[in-house]
Amino acid sequence: MEKQEHICQKLQKEAYDTSIYEQAKEYAVDYVKNVYERDVIPTADAIKNLAFFEEELPQEGADSAQLLKMLHNYGSPATLAQTGGRYFGFVNGGAVPAALAAKWMSDVWDQNAVLYCASPIASTLENLCEKWLVELFGLPQGTAAGFVSGSSTATLCGLVAARNFLLKRAGYDVAKKGLFHAPEIRVVISEEAHSSVFKALSILGLGSERIEKIPADENGSIDAAKVPMLDEHTLLILQAGNVHTGAFDDFDVLCKKGKAAGAWVHIDGAFGLWAAASSRFEDVMKSMNLADSWSCDAHKTLNAPYDNGIILCRHREALLDALQMEGAYIVYSEKRDNMLTTLDMSRRARGVELWATLKALGKRGVAQLVENLHDKAQYFASSLKEKGFEVLNEVCFNQVVISVGDEAAQQSFLSGIQSSGVCWCGGSRWKGKPVVRISVCSYRTTLEDIDLSVEAFVKVRERCGN
Ligand SMILES: *Cc1c(COP(=O)(O)O)cnc(C)c1O
């Protein structure tokens, strides 16, 4: 019987032979070249072909070139064209080319961004990104940044710092004693807060029933007049960018109110915090820098590739305290140790793409990017209105919400749009109504893309017969 090659021998040969990397590059470049032209959704065949992946865990390792070919043939076609110009689902963002290319490079470096000693380049770039973001957003000097997978994690990091800080000030060390006999803290939050914020609260033992939910106005901003008296035991959670309407809470009133009362103010700015980079949004963002912590996503409005979230915290020590851990083998340095400001220890060096995105855009570029998304969303909304669609929100940022009728009408409209291949939008419920959500969040979206999409909207409406 022929002796099977040891797996390590096979891998070692490949480590010297760059042909699979060349092959991967070709496939990737092919994807980049075609993504703009292709249908936004996978074809029915592409979905059917996913069956090729269904198999038992193979006993023997596969041929690497074959495996890549399989991804190219059956994986690529089953993607949604999110980096093209006509994907308006969720709040997704495109990918700045230089940042995507930088991500490839750093993937090859395969750095562990845990500590300075494990990756000086990762620490240096994250340190720089921290400084740049503090400047870009106009946050207080000394604000700490942690680079995480997304806003859900960023919010969790911000809220654990807040919880521990408020309890510590009340004379209680929750990190040591747990929540068992902790003094009460209050959570004041908008009924329109994102579900990831409620998830973070539940993980942190702050529950969902004892919190004080405040009604929102017709565009989804918290009703500032209904926010109760705050105190130094309160965590006030605000939002920059409502996931339906793009609305901002009234930071000028509420951050000042929170600050005066000694409350901790957290802002979920997953996609809306980037408005702070543009003078166009100076009024709505006024005083947001009085908050204590901010979460945001570079993979949304900033158009950095996935996954790229950021927690920013005014009180560096509070963030570090909340996320600290010890181990005999952990070697902290005088430089930046990235693990100190996140939940993770080992992780990839996502600061590389964030740095590349910010460097490729520059301060002016970020402002222009944000303003462009706003302009395009307004154009989308007014084109739809011209065609007789009912736009439900004031387009104050990049989100547009429309109504196409009742649940059944919405469902058939959505399936028509989604299967058209022209563009992709998702559905939701807003103020009790079934709606269609449009998120303009890629630099790649042109006016022609919007015209094409509006045309598709009209056709689908005709076909649905309403
Ligand atoms: C997307 C989003 C989140 C969650 O962010 P992830 O990066 O998906 O974890 C939180 N809040 C708002 C307002 C969002 O739009």
Side-chain angles (χ1 to χ4, degrees):
M1 211 176 95
E2 196 192 334
K3 197 161 172 288
Q4 294 260 344
E5 186 185 37
H6 192 285
I7 190 68
C8 292
Q9 272 175 349
K10 173 191 157 193
L11 300 179
Q12 276 168 16
K13 265 192 245 156
E14 281 182 356
Y16 289 102
D17 168 14
T18 55
S19 63
I20 57 164
Y21 298 111
E22 294 294 343
Q23 193 188 350
K25 186 173 106 184
E26 250 174 60
Y27 291 154
V29 168
D30 183 71
Y31 187 86
V32 167
K33 280 187 180 154
N34 293 313
V35 70
Y36 189 75
E37 300 301 331
R38 56 163 271 199
D39 275 6
V40 179
I41 50 154
T43 61
D45 273 350
I47 296 295
K48 212 167 74 203
N49 285 341
L50 286 173
F52 281 108
F53 290 102
E54 302 292 344
E55 60 173 336
E56 298 297 317
L57 175 64
Q59 195 61 34
E60 301 296 333
D63 177 69
S64 302
Q66 282 298 323
L67 165 171
L68 290 177
K69 195 169 172 187
M70 196 171 157
L71 269 184
H72 178 61
N73 289 345
Y74 306 124
S76 290
T79 58
L80 274 101
Q82 292 175 23
T83 51
R86 284 170 279 109
Y87 184 86
F88 306 108
F90 306 96
V91 187
N92 261 18
V96 166
L100 201 52
K103 188 179 182 192
W104 287 7
M105 287 180 63
S106 77
D107 273 347
V108 173
W109 300 344
D110 196 29
Q111 295 291 281
N112 183 352
V114 56
L115 295 166
Y116 182 85
C117 69
S119 183
I121 178 64
S123 286
T124 301
L125 293 183
E126 292 196 5
N127 208 35
L128 204 57
C129 286
E130 176 180 287
K131 264 204 286 193
W132 285 2
L133 291 171
V134 166
E135 182 189 333
L136 186 72
F137 293 139
L139 302 181
Q141 283 304 316
T143 292
F147 300 95
V148 296
S149 53
S151 273
S152 302
T153 306
T155 297
L156 185 63
C157 292
L159 298 190
V160 69
R163 182 195 70 178
N164 292 11
F165 179 91
L166 291 173
L167 287 172
K168 193 170 190 177
R169 206 172 46 190
Y172 188 83
D173 186 344
V174 66
K176 284 211 181 93
K177 297 183 184 158
L179 280 171
F180 303 102
H181 301 288
E184 281 194 21
I185 54 176
R186 293 168 60 202
V187 177
V188 176
I189 186 169
S190 167
E191 62 176 2
E192 279 291 324
H194 191 266
S195 48
S196 60
V197 180
F198 293 108
K199 177 171 166 178
L201 289 171
S202 98
I203 292 171
L204 291 170
L206 298 172
S208 60
E209 285 181 3
R210 296 276 295 272
I211 60 181
E212 300 167 46
K213 268 197 210 175
I214 313 302
D217 66 17
E218 66 283 358
N219 211 40
S221 304
I222 194 169
D223 187 342
K226 298 220 170 86
V227 172
M229 285 280 290
L230 305 171
D231 57 31
E232 73 277 16
H233 306 293
T234 307
L235 167 56
L236 172 65
I237 302 175
L238 303 176
Q239 180 166 258
N242 178 295
V243 89
H244 289 102
T245 61
F248 298 81
D249 289 340
D250 189 342
F251 305 126
D252 195 36
V253 166
L254 294 171
C255 289
K256 281 181 182 159
K257 182 169 169 156
K259 183 128 189 138
W264 181 294
V265 182
H266 176 83
I267 298 177
D268 171 11
F271 63 95
L273 199 65
W274 299 101
S278 153
S279 56
R280 181 186 294 185
F281 300 98
E282 214 167 77
D283 283 350
V284 282
M285 296 309 273
K286 189 163 175 232
S287 305
M288 74 83 186
N289 58 359
L290 296 178
D292 297 281
S293 52
W294 305 262
S295 38
C296 81
D297 272 325
H299 58 225
K300 290 181 178 165
T301 319
L302 190 69
N303 283 221
Y306 284 102
D307 45 19
N308 222 309
I310 305 149
I311 174 62
L312 294 145
C313 184
R314 166 193 298 271
H315 314 279
R316 183 176 293 268
E317 286 309 315
L319 186 66
L320 264 53
D321 277 355
L323 299 172
Q324 66 141 350
M325 58 187 285
E326 284 166 30
Y329 70 99
I330 301 174
V331 197
Y332 292 123
S333 71
E334 297 293 299
K335 302 267 183 33
R336 180 188 178 89
D337 291 312
N338 297 330
M339 66 170 273
L340 291 172
T341 49
T342 67
L343 296 178
D344 299 312
M345 288 187 76
S346 306
R347 64 175 169 83
R348 61 184 202 85
R350 57 174 64 90
V352 175
E353 305 97 83
L354 180 55
W355 167 83
T357 311
L358 291 168
K359 176 121 174 124
L361 295 171
K363 204 171 173 175
R364 196 165 66 95
V366 180
Q368 288 177 337
L369 179 69
V370 170
E371 290 161 11
N372 172 64
L373 297 178
H374 181 219
D375 292 341
K376 298 263 160 69
Q378 286 185 325
Y379 178 75
F380 210 138
S382 62
S383 304
L384 286 172
K385 272 189 213 161
E386 256 171 49
K387 301 286 179 194
F389 283 92
E390 186 189 359
V391 175
L392 299 178
N393 66 316
E394 177 206 329
V395 183
C396 53
F397 201 49
N398 67 324
Q399 303 288 110
V400 183
V401 204
I402 66 165
S403 163
V404 289
D406 62 9
E407 187 105 26
Q410 177 230 29
Q411 284 304 317
S412 67
F413 184 83
L414 278 175
S415 80
I417 281 294
Q418 291 172 358
S419 62
S420 73
V422 176
C423 63
W424 201 98
C425 306
S428 186
R429 287 191 83 80
W430 161 246
K431 300 277 183 196
K433 264 191 180 174
V435 295
V436 176
R437 279 179 72 231
I438 299 161
S439 180
V440 184
C441 48
S442 173
Y443 74 90
R444 197 129 193 213
T445 300
T446 62
L447 295 176
E448 294 74 53
D449 286 320
I450 295 173
D451 290 342
L452 278 173
S453 304
V454 171
E455 221 173 88
F457 271 54
V458 171
K459 267 197 205 139
V460 170
R461 181 179 57 187
E462 277 164 15
R463 215 170 340 114
C464 293
N466 42 352

